[in-house]
Amino acid sequence: SDGIILGADTRSTNDTTVADKNCFKIHYIAPNIYCCGAGTAADTEKTTELIASQMELLRMNTGNAQSRVVTACTLLKRMLFRYQGHVSAALVLGGCDVHGPHLYQIYPHGSTGKLPYTTMGSGSLAAMAAFESSESGYKDDLEEEEALELVKRAVLAGVWNDLGSGSNVDTCIIRRDGTVVMGRNTVTPNEVGPLRAKVKRSDVLNMRVGTTAVLKESFARNKSSAIGGVTLADVTVTPMET
């Protein structure tokens, strides 16, 4: 009742290849509104950047009034509906305004829903199972620490049970008093530093200076005064067809 907590993993994939192990999926919309993105990384980043810019212009035109979460939701759903699902951005929008905390799910085709908790992305089924657990799942009026631990468990469920999710857990706490706590790499279950430290690399594999002999070395200064030895005589101008 006093805020919203968002969470996301940090794996970015290209087909069956992990393209980025530590990407950032929690995007800024306004000082009191953030958005988690699933789908195509470029679409989620540029969509949220565009709406964040529009929200800033709206604040400038309304005397720097606090942004409303429903306004961001409306702008996002109108844009996504306009492109009929070809912008692959599945979003979880959360924030607090004068009307309290709000959480929306936004599908790539533009349909939305306002819910007490929601999940999106390839690991959403595993995450939803954690939220709907009868013992340790979601309950109304959770304390902040309890809600934070629940979000962590839900994201980790996706990390362990979905190949499209992985690496670390990022969190974002948005409170009604306007404070925001961004937790970058709050949980790092796949830390490989200690494992790599145990691997002893043979010194035979290290190439020392002087291993390869230098037979000859020479340096000739460029006689031309132009940078890189290129003058206007070397430039070919081709008229552009208009």
Side-chain angles (χ1 to χ4, degrees):
S1 61
D2 292 327
I4 289 290
I5 299 181
L6 303 175
D9 69 298
T10 63
R11 173 177 289 182
S12 174
T13 58
N14 180 11
D15 193 31
T16 57
T17 303
V18 177
D20 190 348
K21 296 179 181 179
N22 200 27
C23 69
F24 198 48
K25 300 183 182 180
I26 304 179
H27 308 284
Y28 170 88
I29 298 293
N32 59 314
I33 306 170
Y34 283 79
C35 183
C36 296
T40 303
D43 288 347
T44 59
E45 286 187 13
K46 294 305 171 184
T47 298
T48 51
E49 284 178 9
L50 177 64
I51 301 305
S53 176
Q54 294 182 14
M55 295 292 287
E56 175 70 20
L57 291 173
L58 181 61
R59 285 196 300 277
M60 294 171 64
N61 286 322
T62 54
N64 288 322
Q66 186 186 54
S67 296
R68 305 294 193 266
V69 184
V70 69
T71 304
C73 178
T74 302
L75 292 174
L76 285 166
K77 71 191 297 184
R78 284 179 178 176
M79 177 188 171
L80 293 174
F81 179 76
R82 187 184 308 127
Y83 287 93
Q84 292 292 293
H86 292 289
V87 175
S88 180
L91 309 173
V92 174
L93 179 72
C96 294
D97 55 28
V98 294
H99 300 295
H102 307 275
L103 185 69
Y104 294 90
Q105 64 173 173
I106 307 173
Y107 285 91
H109 287 79
S111 60
T112 61
K114 185 177 182 181
L115 301 164
Y117 61 92
T118 186
T119 60
M120 295 290 275
S122 60
S124 60
L125 293 180
M128 185 57 75
F131 277 116
E132 294 184 343
S133 171
S134 58
E135 296 180 358
S136 58
Y138 174 84
K139 299 178 182 64
D140 290 333
D141 298 324
L142 284 171
E143 295 296 328
E144 183 177 300
E145 285 301 321
E146 294 177 308
L148 182 61
E149 290 303 316
L150 175 58
V151 170
K152 290 178 183 179
R153 287 199 305 271
V155 176
L156 284 174
V159 167
W160 298 127
N161 297 284
D162 171 53
L163 293 178
S165 308
S167 295
N168 310 317
V169 177
D170 292 337
T171 58
C172 178
I173 304 173
I174 309 171
R175 302 191 182 100
R176 295 190 69 165
D177 61 6
T179 59
V180 176
V181 179
M182 188 67 69
R184 178 64 167 155
N185 293 343
T186 305
V187 184
T188 55
N190 295 291
E191 184 59 50
V192 296
L195 181 62
R196 288 180 175 175
K198 296 179 181 179
V199 178
K200 302 301 180 182
R201 179 183 173 91
S202 174
D203 192 57
V204 178
L205 300 175
N206 297 322
M207 299 298 177
R208 295 177 176 80
V209 177
T211 301
T212 303
V214 179
L215 302 180
K216 182 179 179 181
E217 182 177 347
S218 63
F219 175 77
R221 184 178 296 277
N222 195 338
K223 296 180 180 179
S224 174
S225 60
I227 299 176
V230 179
T231 64
L232 290 176
D234 301 314
V235 178
T236 302
V237 179
T238 303
M240 184 177 66
E241 295 182 2
T242 58

